[in-house]
Amino acid sequence: MKENICTIPVNEVFEQNDGCPICRMRNLIEAKYIDYITGPAMMEPDIRIETNRAGFCERHFGMMLTSGRARLPVALTLESHLTEVREKMLMKKPDKKVLEAIEKLEGSCFVCEYIEPHLARSLETVCLNYKNEPEFRKLYESQPYLCLTHYRMMIQAAKKPLGRDYDAFAEATRRLVLKYADSLQTDIVAFRDAFDYRNAGKPLSPEAKISIERTIEFLTSRPAATAKSDDN
Ligand SMILES: [Zn+2]
Ligand SMILES: [Zn+2]
């Protein structure tokens, strides 16, 4: 099941041309998994073993509750997960092993764990399309930007599938990202300068007005409001 619930239509995603295309792919995979995990999958014993072990991060617990699905499957998953936490972590002395287990749980999430390999496969497809389809290459290079995290992931994923095209790909990607970061810098400076009384009444461009939100999204790979609530 886990392998095939999520085939990302890479070309379609790149045709949208709005924001970071890898964020869009990640969001698609994420939404499909949230949908999957709040449906009948929650009752499957092998899934239950996994959710008991990995738990969920704050973001994905939140999405499970706001997905519009029934709350009973969430309650059943939590009941089972909590049983495991109590048995393995709280019904014995807090020795090194127990504390390590809690720490490991803090950093793990069932949904995050599944996004990772799916996204990796989609990134490989991006690389192969770039290598083999001139049209896709144009589409790739006309993206507004890649967020910083996905710039890193894209470059890391590219070496093997791109082969001798790797250098050109890495350079094209770097230029794309730098160009956007330059424009963010300009807009942030304009936003800052708007606080100077000497600039009173000077109009601010729409991009500069939301430059804080855009910069946060570029740096964190999530829209600013989400990034903010993630920190709380
Ligand atoms: Zn991104
Ligand atoms: Zn997660």
Side-chain angles (χ1 to χ4, degrees):
M1 69 79 203
K2 296 151 205 160
E3 301 308 317
N4 56 27
I5 65 161
C6 211
T7 307
I8 294 300
V10 170
N11 284 50
E12 272 175 43
V13 170
F14 272 74
E15 275 160 18
Q16 283 175 37
N17 212 290
D18 172 30
C20 168
I22 316 300
C23 282
R24 291 200 294 277
M25 298 200 311
R26 189 261 333 270
N27 293 348
L28 274 177
I29 298 170
E30 187 175 52
K32 283 190 184 182
Y33 263 111
I34 293 294
D35 199 47
Y36 174 76
I37 195 60
T38 50
M42 270 188 168
M43 311 297 169
E44 289 177 20
D46 59 327
I47 298 293
R48 187 61 64 85
I49 291 168
E50 287 298 299
T51 57
N52 281 350
R53 173 193 60 78
F56 297 89
C57 68
E58 185 200 351
R59 174 183 175 77
H60 290 132
F61 266 136
M63 285 184 79
M64 284 158 69
L65 294 183
T66 55
S67 67
R69 301 294 286 261
R71 289 170 80 91
L72 176 61
V74 182
L76 295 174
T77 299
L78 284 178
E79 179 198 347
S80 178
H81 181 48
L82 200 52
T83 300
E84 186 150 321
V85 167
R86 285 168 52 250
E87 281 173 3
K88 290 192 172 165
M89 297 167 193
L90 299 174
M91 289 181 181
K92 44 178 104 169
K93 283 199 174 109
D95 60 10
K96 193 166 170 259
K97 222 174 135 193
V98 166
L99 296 179
E100 276 173 4
I102 297 175
E103 205 169 351
K104 199 172 165 202
L105 180 64
E106 286 166 18
S108 76
C109 165
F110 177 80
V111 179
C112 287
E113 279 179 17
Y114 278 106
I115 289 176
E116 224 171 275
H118 278 292
L119 196 56
R121 271 202 292 283
S122 302
L123 293 182
E124 199 182 335
T125 308
V126 171
C127 294
L128 294 174
N129 288 1
Y130 184 92
K131 189 178 180 173
N132 302 322
E133 296 173 21
E135 280 304 308
F136 184 81
R137 185 176 292 217
K138 265 190 235 159
L139 211 52
Y140 181 88
E141 290 175 0
S142 67
Q143 293 300 311
Y145 71 96
L146 263 62
C147 70
L148 195 59
T149 301
H150 292 141
Y151 169 61
R152 189 258 306 160
M153 288 174 76
M154 195 70 249
I155 298 291
Q156 284 175 336
K159 196 117 205 170
K160 213 170 140 199
L162 263 299
R164 57 194 170 86
D165 291 328
Y166 168 80
D167 285 344
F169 175 81
E171 184 56 12
T173 306
R174 186 186 69 81
R175 280 176 190 277
L176 188 73
V177 176
L178 177 63
K179 195 175 153 204
Y180 187 69
D182 285 348
S183 76
L184 283 178
Q185 187 91 44
T186 304
D187 290 339
I188 281 277
V189 166
F191 187 86
R192 178 204 69 191
D193 287 349
F195 287 86
D196 191 322
Y197 70 94
R198 285 167 296 190
N199 293 320
K202 246 190 192 175
L204 208 52
S205 74
E207 293 80 21
K209 272 185 192 156
I210 53 164
S211 56
I212 287 179
E213 286 79 3
R214 289 168 56 231
T215 303
I216 290 174
E217 186 161 3
F218 171 71
L219 293 172
T220 66
S221 158
R222 297 286 187 183
T226 314
K228 206 173 159 192
S229 68
D230 276 351
D231 288 338
N232 288 337

